[in-house]
Amino acid sequence: MFPERFSNLPAYAFPRLRALLDPHPAGGPVLHMSIGEPKHPFPDWVGPVMAEHAADFGRYPPNEGTPGLRGAICGWLNRRYGVTLDPERQVMALNGTREGLYNAGMALIPETKNGQRPVVLMPNPFYQVYMISAISVGAEPVFVPATAETGHLPDFSSVAPEVLARTAMVYLCSPANPQGVMASAEYWADLLALAEKHDFRIVADECYSEVYRDAAPVGALQVAAKTGADPERVLAFHSLSKRSNLPGLRSGFVAGGPESIARMKQLRAYSGAPLPLPVQHVSERLWGEEEHVAASRALYAAKYALADEILGHVPGYMSPQAGMFLWLPVPDGEAATLKLWQETGVRVLPGAYLSKAQPSGTPGAGYIRVALVAPFDETKAGLTAIRDCLFA
Ligand SMILES: Cc1ncc(COP(=O)(O)O)c(C=O)c1O
């Protein structure tokens, strides 16, 4: 016996990519541009600080994060967004944001909304954990197109009123993976107003907030504070994976209303795994430092400029405002991915693998996602191969 709700899921994006490409030989030296795994250096003190605290592997760590770590997170939120949060009640350390994005649904989506099955709204294309969180609690995931027509952000106000009446939670990623666009203060304010009107909670996935070109993206908590929104309306998620180039550290946090955070803490006290204490110590210091973050941002800025130079002529090309991806229009994303692999050895991801097929079409089908994570020269070789193979 197996649960039916997970039985018809497509394979996850990366096994799907391997199934598409691996039966065929690479057409050149293999260049990985499919996974958003940061490759820039992380601070060289990370290992020594971890080693200094190695004895703490012998202790069970505190569930919600040490006071030092929660204090450092609140300090960072204050410097970055000008918001003041209570470190005791409004933040919780996470093993990377993915577990928190999943468990937010578990902890916070009610069994029914207005007497009906609850709905979880999410952009399409989207980070796949949003959908699994909804399905896990028996809610209905509803996919809202985030396409060129909508400015690559979902237009949640276009959702039918009867669906909004059932909506318990909305996921929004800003800066957006994969499109690299950022929600403006007006966009967040409108979404907060919609949340207030229809009584739902916003999960703001802001793990790319520190990887931007010119202007730092505004944050959901910042706009919520400015507009005087109910603090329970928003949960913001941040990660050291992208900010500090430490995806293997597994360290992030969630911040939001005290009641929502208390419920997430309680769920994890029963069922989850807190961050090992040495990881908490390293994380505390990382949230207090900005130099390495700025250095990494400068490396991305050089690669955005490189992409503009090499691929700027492609019809529909979007220069990324933020994040670590190019969202590149092609006639057929899957066919382009295979052609690129077979002719050049460059691995990218078909946009359809990040999208949900809808009766009206699959929003990402006409795109490939290109990760700009590798060093400059390797990225240049990859982008040049993409141009010559797909856009000559
Ligand atoms: C949009 C988005 N959200 C969340 C995550 C999760 O990151 P982590 O669990 O490493 O914090 C990722 C990772 O790729 C992502 O792309």
Side-chain angles (χ1 to χ4, degrees):
M1 262 197 303
F2 293 102
E4 200 160 310
R5 62 190 184 280
F6 300 128
S7 295
N8 297 317
L9 292 177
Y12 198 62
F14 296 106
R16 222 171 143 190
L17 181 67
R18 288 194 286 277
L20 176 73
L21 301 186
D22 290 354
H24 308 279
V30 176
L31 284 181
H32 291 279
M33 302 183 95
S34 57
I35 302 184
E37 182 180 69
K39 300 283 184 214
H40 300 164
F42 55 79
D44 56 9
W45 50 258
V46 166
V49 171
M50 194 80 114
E52 209 179 293
H53 293 280
D56 284 342
F57 280 120
R59 298 168 57 200
Y60 278 116
N63 179 43
E64 63 275 17
T66 60
L69 174 54
R70 284 180 281 118
I73 289 169
C74 287
W76 180 78
L77 283 168
N78 185 262
R79 290 189 299 280
R80 175 67 172 81
Y81 296 120
V83 294
T84 304
L85 274 76
D86 178 356
E88 286 300 314
R89 303 192 310 138
Q90 292 194 269
V91 294
M92 174 185 178
L94 298 173
N95 273 303
T97 48
R98 181 160 52 175
E99 69 114 335
L101 291 164
Y102 180 76
N103 284 315
M106 282 285 172
L108 301 173
I109 296 173
E111 287 77 10
T112 58
K113 168 89 187 289
N114 288 329
Q116 294 178 285
R117 184 182 176 201
V119 158
V120 176
L121 302 180
M122 62 198 71
N124 192 12
F126 59 104
Y127 187 55
Q128 306 283 294
V129 74
Y130 313 155
M131 175 179 76
I132 297 301
S133 180
I135 291 173
S136 295
V137 296
E140 182 188 348
V142 170
F143 305 92
V144 184
T147 58
E149 290 73 44
T150 66
H152 294 288
L153 288 170
D155 178 7
F156 291 118
S157 67
S158 70
V159 172
E162 59 274 19
V163 176
L164 287 169
R166 289 166 56 210
T167 298
M169 190 172 267
V170 169
Y171 282 92
L172 183 73
C173 183
S174 173
N177 170 10
Q179 303 97 327
V181 297
M182 327 192 283
S184 64
E186 293 70 34
Y187 184 98
W188 282 120
D190 288 349
L191 183 55
L192 279 158
L194 200 68
E196 194 60 41
K197 181 170 174 198
H198 295 281
D199 189 20
F200 59 75
R201 192 171 271 112
I202 299 165
V203 171
D205 179 356
E206 299 183 313
C207 68
Y208 293 99
S209 67
E210 304 315 289
V211 182
Y212 54 84
R213 176 181 293 225
D214 302 314
V218 293
L221 292 173
Q222 185 180 8
V223 179
K226 256 205 191 109
T227 56
D230 176 351
E232 299 296 339
R233 288 274 164 239
V234 185
L235 287 165
F237 289 76
H238 287 270
S239 176
L240 292 174
S241 300
K242 322 291 179 184
R243 174 185 178 272
S244 298
N245 300 312
L246 284 160
L249 188 69
R250 309 311 302 136
S251 182
F253 70 82
V254 54
E259 180 65 28
S260 307
I261 296 294
R263 285 175 178 261
M264 289 190 69
K265 283 182 186 170
Q266 189 189 36
L267 184 74
R268 192 165 67 181
Y270 273 104
S271 64
L275 285 78
L277 269 167
V279 172
Q280 298 202 30
H281 285 298
V282 168
S283 303
E284 176 181 338
R285 183 154 161 199
L286 286 161
W287 287 114
E289 295 198 6
E290 287 298 329
E291 211 173 296
H292 69 280
V293 185
S296 184
R297 196 156 47 233
L299 296 177
Y300 283 114
K303 290 188 276 186
Y304 298 152
L306 181 70
D308 291 353
E309 191 186 308
I310 297 175
L311 291 163
H313 66 286
V314 170
Y317 172 83
M318 258 201 308
S319 189
Q321 296 172 349
M324 45 189 68
F325 302 106
L326 276 186
W327 186 236
L328 209 53
V330 289
D332 175 335
E334 213 171 34
T337 300
L338 184 58
K339 177 176 157 74
L340 196 59
W341 171 248
Q342 289 185 292
E343 293 183 12
T344 73
V346 173
R347 272 176 108 89
V348 297
L349 192 67
Y353 294 9
L354 299 168
S355 310
K356 177 76 178 170
Q358 298 285 273
S360 55
T362 303
Y367 290 86
I368 53 173
R369 192 190 75 172
V370 183
L372 303 175
V373 292
F376 187 87
D377 287 347
E378 202 178 314
T379 302
K380 185 172 184 180
L383 295 176
T384 306
I386 291 171
R387 179 194 63 199
D388 295 347
C389 176
L390 299 181
F391 302 105

